[in-house]
Amino acid sequence: MLYFDHAASTLPYEQVVRTVGELMTLHYANAAALHKSGAEAMRLVERARSAVAGAFGAKPDEVVFTSGGTESNNFAIKGTVFSSRKPKKHIITTAIEHASVYECVKQLERQGVEVTILPVDGQGRVSPDSVANALREDTVLVSVMHVNNETGAIQPIEEIGRLLADRPQVRFHVDGVQAIGKVPVRWKEWGIDLYTGSAHKFRGPKGVGFLLVREGLALAPLLAGGGQEDGRRSGTHNVPGIVATAQALRLTMESMDERRTRMYGLRRKLIGLLKDIPELCLNVPEEEERSAPQIVNVSYPGMRPEVLVHMLEEHGILISTQSACSSKSLKPSRVLTAMGLDEQRASGSIRISFGDEHTERDIDILADRLRAVVAKLKPLERSFS
């Protein structure tokens, strides 16, 4: 099988797998315990915190470990809203955010928080001007993802951060789950207050993530309990997962430049081959400066995407529809709909995402088998629409 679903989850590094196993065996004590074994576990956590901080030019106490991207996004958004003393609260976000942001702000909206959801252009990018025009006196948060999880479109984070520079009362949150290890991240330089990461997107373990929190910002905790993470995130530390996250992040960042160069080459090759299949429509920005290297989204209008997914699986290719969190939904992609694509195109999309193991030969195989599947489905096109 050729696995082209790295935007959903990645193969952990072998070193990471070994680290998790060793730590589960050797350092199983609760890091909050007062005895020697607990203190050793806590030293491992703090060493990992320093390593994660160093990868982003942050201070160790600006790193909060969580269970992953969904918790980090919810913590950033709800923690900001619940800590604000403003009588009225307003959030700005975009129509293409991951469900862990989009549904979070929708939940807050039902609870009385005012929400502005900004449109995007045909390439899936939000305009900084629209962010500026949406700002109000009661705005407490702007949340814009770094790299879109369905199309790979890079959002103008630096420009948005610049326009928020003179609005210190407005916090800037960025979901960086699909960006880390694929595109540069300069969170402080770009004026970001809160930045989300998830380990299993950069070859770390599942169920572990972090939120970078700019020094001095107070966030209301989501979880009440033992007061771990300096009172910001209660719950027993996942010591093996946290240490493995730091290890995976180090390995990923060390190879980022080579990875970007190689993946952009694979992306160019795949896009060129897909253009030779007339039934398919590309849904990604072709300009490389506007798109991350690891994601290509394509539609077969009139064809249900799960049919493509299952037929490709029979041919030894694993891909996904939409994001993994939405892949079981039969609704049109919210992201592609926001880009102005019609229902057939937004309903018939598949996502191909690369990993470290892929070669140009793999891209040739993928394109050949996709071409064969499309040729087989062409006579049945209308019956699936």
Side-chain angles (χ1 to χ4, degrees):
M1 284 284 183
L2 289 177
Y3 181 81
F4 283 98
D5 197 17
H6 284 260
S9 197
T10 57
L11 173 69
Y13 292 104
E14 290 183 11
Q15 302 98 305
V16 164
V17 175
R18 288 197 299 270
T19 293
V20 171
E22 290 172 3
L23 289 175
M24 289 184 71
T25 302
L26 300 175
H27 295 280
Y28 49 84
N30 192 318
L34 296 178
H35 50 64
K36 180 180 178 181
S37 292
E40 289 174 351
M42 182 58 78
R43 276 195 292 273
L44 291 172
V45 169
E46 294 308 323
R47 190 181 305 162
R49 192 188 312 279
S50 294
V52 171
F56 298 100
K59 298 178 181 178
D61 61 3
E62 293 179 312
V63 177
V64 180
F65 289 115
T66 69
S67 64
T70 293
E71 184 187 340
S72 291
N73 284 338
N74 274 259
F75 182 29
I77 295 166
K78 292 176 180 176
T80 295
V81 169
F82 297 157
S83 66
S84 173
R85 296 183 179 179
K86 291 188 176 183
K88 290 179 60 181
K89 302 173 182 67
H90 172 238
I91 296 172
I92 298 170
T93 190
T94 81
I96 55 144
E97 299 300 309
H98 186 269
S100 59
V101 168
Y102 190 85
E103 296 300 332
C104 178
V105 300
K106 284 293 187 180
Q107 183 184 53
L108 289 170
E109 188 175 40
R110 292 191 291 272
Q111 296 173 2
V113 176
E114 294 197 44
V115 176
T116 297
I117 297 178
L118 299 175
V120 294
D121 62 21
Q123 292 193 324
R125 301 178 85 240
V126 69
S127 163
D129 288 341
S130 69
V131 176
N133 293 334
L135 289 169
R136 306 181 342 192
E137 286 301 313
D138 57 352
T139 303
V140 296
L141 179 73
V142 173
S143 182
V144 179
M145 70 191 333
H146 196 166
V147 170
N148 183 261
N149 53 294
E150 290 189 35
T151 68
I154 299 174
Q155 302 306 311
I157 298 302
E158 184 175 4
E159 293 91 331
I160 295 171
R162 192 158 49 238
L163 70 87
L164 293 175
D166 60 351
R167 303 288 291 265
Q169 77 279 13
V170 179
R171 295 181 187 173
F172 186 22
H173 167 242
V174 175
D175 173 1
V177 165
Q178 295 291 350
I180 294 171
K182 314 301 191 307
V183 298
V185 177
R186 301 185 182 94
W187 75 297
K188 285 192 175 180
E189 182 180 327
W190 294 343
I192 300 169
D193 296 306
L194 303 152
Y195 195 88
T196 292
S198 182
H200 76 108
K201 305 296 189 180
F202 51 81
R203 303 191 63 184
K206 294 179 181 64
V208 193
F210 53 84
L211 182 67
L212 302 180
V213 181
R214 186 181 286 270
E215 186 177 34
L217 292 187
L219 291 180
L222 296 183
L223 305 176
Q228 288 87 347
E229 293 297 281
D230 198 25
R232 296 176 292 186
R233 199 275 183 185
S234 292
T236 302
H237 287 97
N238 177 0
V239 178
I242 287 170
V243 174
T245 294
Q247 183 181 42
L249 182 63
R250 175 181 60 79
L251 293 169
T252 294
M253 299 303 261
E254 285 176 352
S255 58
M256 187 179 77
D257 290 342
E258 182 276 332
R259 177 183 301 105
R260 292 182 70 226
T261 299
R262 187 175 52 78
M263 283 189 176
Y264 273 126
L266 297 178
R267 182 180 185 273
R268 284 192 294 272
K269 183 178 181 67
L270 179 60
I271 287 175
L273 293 170
L274 292 177
K275 286 180 177 179
D276 290 334
I277 307 175
E279 293 82 5
L280 302 182
C281 304
L282 283 168
N283 303 321
V284 297
E286 287 199 46
E287 300 90 341
E288 291 181 358
E289 67 272 12
R290 291 174 174 249
S291 183
Q294 78 276 20
I295 297 174
V296 173
N297 188 296
V298 63
S299 289
Y300 186 167
M303 185 61 58
R304 290 174 63 169
E306 65 269 23
V307 176
L308 278 171
V309 169
H310 292 313
M311 287 194 70
L312 282 169
E313 184 173 5
E314 291 175 4
H315 285 72
I317 303 291
L318 300 179
I319 60 167
S320 66
T321 66
Q322 302 183 30
S323 69
C325 299
S326 306
S327 60
K328 294 182 181 178
S329 171
L330 297 179
K331 297 178 181 179
S333 161
R334 171 169 50 81
V335 172
L336 299 186
T337 300
M339 290 166 57
L341 304 186
D342 61 41
E343 184 173 351
Q344 278 202 332
R345 192 162 159 186
S347 299
S349 68
I350 58 174
R351 180 184 66 182
I352 300 163
S353 47
F354 312 133
D356 288 343
E357 77 273 21
H358 292 130
T359 65
E360 291 196 7
R361 174 60 179 155
D362 295 328
I363 300 300
D364 285 327
I365 293 172
L366 168 63
D368 286 345
R369 294 181 185 176
L370 185 54
R371 188 178 295 108
V373 166
V374 169
K376 189 176 291 187
L377 288 174
K378 180 65 176 173
L380 307 175
E381 189 175 301
R382 292 187 178 180
S383 64
F384 283 109
S385 61

